[in-house]
Amino acid sequence: MAHPHSFITLVTTVMTENDQLTGLKMQWTMDEITSADLLYDAGNAKPDSPVWKKLAAEVMANVLGQHYFTEFWHNGKKVTFNNLPPEYGLARVGHQAVLTFVLPLAHPQPLKGQTYQFATFDPTYFVDMSYDNASDAKLPKTLDSLCKIAVKTPQPNEDTLAFAQSLDKADAPPEDMELGKQFAQQVILQCQ
């Protein structure tokens, strides 16, 4: 009964153009229970059918309503995103729904000598969003020699863990608590 109730596995690839950071290519694989409703609604529809496109648009609208469930920081300031992704899609992989999309930065950011930090999380911690492996936060080959990327997993204190476990499905933590943020993995991108 405790939070979280759903699980999304993340894979993120940094996107660049002309030596500037332009966005993140994201792949979110939903757990089988979370996927069941979407896959049921899709039925036997072909991957490029209007049914899948409509489902993808509905899921993406939810993601956009939460600012991509992502915070992105540079020098202590939030980096803003464009409101609409240039591409997105929803697919079935086995018994799981997989959402892919590009999270576009509102303005390209310099890479050389810069450090960025980002995290993808549900603020209520209703959904656990995490990387299975540190290697699931990726750099394009062109940045291999210039940048490093690392995933830091937080260690919430016992009170925070106990509180999250005490919430049942109907409970929501107080907004100002930012419960999900306390469990969110941080991705650090450092370029020389």
Side-chain angles (χ1 to χ4, degrees), residues 2-7 122-128 168-173 179-180:
H3 276 43
H5 308 301
S6 296
F7 299 86
D122 173 12
T124 66
Y125 199 48
F126 189 83
V127 180
D128 177 86
D168 73 17
K169 208 169 188 128
D171 291 335
L179 185 62

Side-chain angles (χ1 to χ4, degrees), residues 31 77 97 118 128-129 132 138 142 147 169 171 180:
D31 66 73
K77 292 188 176 91
F118 61 90
D128 177 86
M129 305 173 92
D132 272 353
K138 304 172 184 229
T142 54
C147 304
K169 208 169 188 128
D171 291 335

Side-chain angles (χ1 to χ4, degrees), residues 27-92:
Q27 175 184 299
W28 295 2
T29 303
M30 299 166 210
D31 66 73
E32 290 186 7
I33 293 170
T34 304
S35 299
D37 285 340
L38 287 170
L39 298 180
Y40 179 81
D41 290 345
N44 294 322
K46 298 266 184 270
D48 58 352
S49 72
V51 170
W52 276 103
K53 289 180 177 151
K54 181 176 181 285
L55 283 172
E58 288 170 5
V59 173
M60 201 66 229
N62 183 26
V63 170
L64 292 172
Q66 296 294 324
H67 305 286
Y68 298 94
F69 289 93
T70 301
E71 287 185 359
F72 201 103
W73 297 88
H74 179 236
N75 293 334
K77 292 188 176 91
K78 262 190 187 176
V79 174
T80 56
F81 311 133
N82 275 342
N83 290 334
L84 293 174
E87 62 184 72
Y88 65 90
L90 187 66
R92 175 194 314 259

